[in-house]
Amino acid sequence: MTGLLAGIAAVTVPLVLLASLAGQVRRPAALAAAVRAHRVLPPALAGAAAAAVIAAEALIGVAGAAAPLLRLDGPARRPA
């Protein structure tokens, strides 16, 4: 059962990250505006932080999607 859940997560999490990335790419200023509006960071840092978050999301999403395809998903895959 654990292997099934790990397999589902190995597919679902990268897809969710890549879908979110698609939305961020369409409107890149939206995240920076939200950070400014919520006053999470100083306004001068909002744009750089938003860009860093989008880049991290892209990197993790692509790496997560590539791992099962390249058979790098380790414990989620049973030895043959």
Side-chain angles (χ1 to χ4, degrees):
M1 184 71 176
T2 304
L4 175 64
L5 293 175
I8 292 169
V11 173
T12 305
V13 171
L15 287 178
V16 168
L17 287 171
L18 292 174
S20 174
L21 177 65
Q24 297 293 346
V25 168
R26 277 188 282 151
R27 293 184 48 193
L31 182 57
V35 171
R36 279 188 208 96
H38 288 282
R39 297 181 182 168
V40 176
L41 295 171
L45 295 177
V53 167
I54 293 170
E57 187 174 47
L59 180 66
I60 295 168
V62 169
L69 298 174
L70 298 174
R71 301 178 72 80
L72 299 173
D73 48 349
R77 187 177 300 275
R78 285 186 145 170

